[in-house]
Amino acid sequence: MRKRFRLLAVFCLLACLLAGCGKKEQSVTPDFVLTYADNQPTEYPTTQGALRFAQLVEERTGGKVVIQVKSDGEYGTEQEVWRQMAIGGIDFARLSLSVLADELPKLNVLQLPCLYEDAAQMWRVLDGEIGEEFLQVFAERDMVGLSWYDAGARSFYSDKPLRSLEDLQGMTVRVQDARIVEDMVRLLGGEPVTLAYSDVYAAFETGKIDAAENNWPAYLAMSHYKVARYYLVDEHSRVPEIQLASGRTWQKLPEEYQEIIRQCAKESAQYERELWIKEEASARKAALAAGCREIQLSDEEKERFRQLVQPLYEKYAGDYLALVQKIRQG
């Protein structure tokens, strides 16, 4: 009897162990494997935010929704990504507003220079009712606005000292391919030139441009501090970037997954903003250590800047001036 009991006990133990092993070997088959495009390097804050977004979605759907993030412009330019999203060829992306404003003119409001007093005011606006109103704009192109990412404050820099707005007079200034930015430079007395981000360094070297405008991380990452050592901290614009979903993709997702994705997008945005603050401080410190000369634009000159660019408000936000006023009170 004892021998039979021992054999039975061993048999039961082995059966339990084998059952346990079988459970561990089980894997989840995703319901959806989706794509995400970002044109920045993997270590850049926006791409890191995208990776956090994908991680949160996979965790909270129990592996049922997998988002594959591709960085470094692997899926093409932002314009190409936008077109692919329209037909469902790409499912998610982080895009610049300058790429989208021609099709969605209301976004020009968020590109106006001197719109906010500081970053804190911008996030109060974008994380509130006004920000939600702008997210809804993307529905006009069958897109779903998910959250706002930080892209910092843009300032001018040059190979010549910049201490006042007069120093920009007659300068050839590289700008983004956005009409509102081109017009801003003209109002300041400069001559705008649209060049690819990757061509700016060479343009400084050859004398094709005298100045450019961007944020600290971009200034450092592309080594512009080596050919344009004078950085004028005027912070003339704070333009957020948008995290989007393709409308065609969105319609295929159950409401349960949609809600999870929205929440994860907002959490990833908070994470990206924290990374951006650290990246901005680190880039500034590194550029100054490498020989960059930082120059602060005086309060008087900043007020003069605001007055000079007022015509842009009528031209690009004429139908939304009441909304501009609400933003400035935010």
Side-chain angles (χ1 to χ4, degrees):
M1 286 291 292
R2 287 182 181 178
K3 187 175 181 179
R4 288 182 181 177
F5 179 77
R6 287 172 185 166
L7 287 172
L8 182 60
V10 169
F11 175 80
C12 291
L13 179 60
L14 286 171
C16 290
L17 288 172
L18 288 170
C21 289
K23 287 180 181 177
K24 287 182 181 179
E25 290 173 357
Q26 290 178 354
S27 61
V28 176
T29 301
D31 292 336
F32 299 92
V33 178
L34 306 172
T35 53
Y36 188 118
D38 196 300
N39 69 339
Q40 294 289 3
T42 302
E43 65 275 8
Y44 203 76
T46 58
T47 311
Q48 287 297 308
L51 290 167
R52 174 60 67 92
F53 168 66
Q55 176 190 0
L56 290 172
V57 169
E58 186 167 357
E59 288 176 356
R60 294 182 187 174
T61 60
K64 289 294 187 177
V65 179
V66 173
I67 299 173
Q68 298 175 337
V69 178
K70 301 295 183 181
S71 57
D72 286 301
E74 186 172 335
Y75 284 131
T77 66
E78 290 191 308
Q79 291 88 346
E80 290 168 340
V81 168
W82 171 254
R83 290 194 290 269
Q84 282 294 310
M85 291 185 75
I87 60 174
I90 295 173
D91 304 304
F92 297 93
R94 189 278 312 154
L95 296 175
S96 306
L97 296 191
S98 60
V99 176
L100 315 176
D102 282 348
E103 291 193 43
L104 298 167
K106 190 173 181 177
L107 296 179
N108 279 315
V109 171
L110 298 181
Q111 296 191 90
L112 289 168
C114 309
L115 184 61
Y116 311 101
E117 289 295 327
D118 52 28
Q121 183 191 12
M122 181 177 79
W123 294 124
R124 284 198 302 274
V125 169
L126 293 179
D127 288 336
E129 291 181 5
I130 294 175
E132 188 60 35
E133 179 180 335
F134 276 104
L135 288 179
Q136 298 305 318
V137 168
F138 295 95
E140 296 177 22
R141 289 295 180 272
D142 194 24
M143 302 284 178
V144 180
L146 296 174
S147 65
W148 302 105
Y149 273 23
D150 200 352
R154 299 177 76 92
S155 293
F156 289 104
Y157 50 88
S158 175
D159 58 349
K160 303 175 182 65
L162 295 172
R163 295 186 178 85
S164 69
L165 298 182
E166 269 73 24
D167 293 328
L168 288 169
Q169 295 288 318
M171 278 193 168
T172 303
V173 184
R174 182 270 172 179
V175 296
Q176 295 172 292
D177 189 8
R179 288 179 299 165
I180 191 170
V181 185
E182 293 179 42
D183 286 349
M184 177 189 73
V185 169
R186 290 191 184 98
L187 288 171
L188 297 174
E191 181 60 35
V193 173
T194 56
L195 286 173
Y197 180 46
S198 57
D199 294 338
V200 175
Y201 188 99
F204 270 117
E205 281 193 311
T206 60
K208 185 175 182 178
I209 60 173
D210 303 307
E213 52 95 44
N214 219 315
N215 53 55
W216 280 110
Y219 178 66
L220 178 74
M222 301 302 285
S223 297
H224 293 171
Y225 64 91
K226 295 179 180 178
V227 287
R229 63 187 302 201
Y230 299 98
Y231 193 98
L232 179 66
V233 184
D234 60 274
E235 298 185 337
H236 52 263
S237 67
R238 295 179 182 275
V239 182
E241 298 190 338
I242 183 70
Q243 194 175 30
L244 286 171
S246 164
R248 294 201 176 192
T249 300
W250 197 254
Q251 292 167 9
K252 298 174 185 176
L253 298 170
E255 287 187 16
E256 177 189 0
Y257 290 167
Q258 290 178 0
E259 184 56 37
I260 289 172
I261 287 170
R262 285 187 189 278
Q263 185 57 42
C264 292
K266 292 185 184 302
E267 289 184 32
S268 76
Q270 294 299 325
Y271 175 73
E272 188 271 348
R273 294 176 201 176
E274 292 170 7
L275 290 182
W276 185 271
I277 292 171
K278 294 175 183 176
E279 181 73 16
E280 197 167 47
S282 175
R284 174 182 174 274
K285 183 178 179 180
L288 292 174
C292 161
R293 301 290 183 84
E294 179 185 45
I295 304 169
Q296 295 287 336
L297 191 67
S298 69
D299 290 341
E300 293 77 16
E301 284 291 278
K302 286 183 179 179
E303 180 55 36
R304 188 162 159 250
F305 198 128
R306 291 189 188 95
Q307 296 306 317
L308 284 171
V309 299
Q310 283 310 299
L312 299 178
Y313 282 71
E314 185 63 41
K315 181 175 181 178
Y316 290 98
D319 295 333
Y320 308 107
L321 291 177
L323 181 57
V324 168
Q325 190 59 30
K326 285 177 65 178
I327 289 173
R328 285 186 157 172
Q329 294 170 352

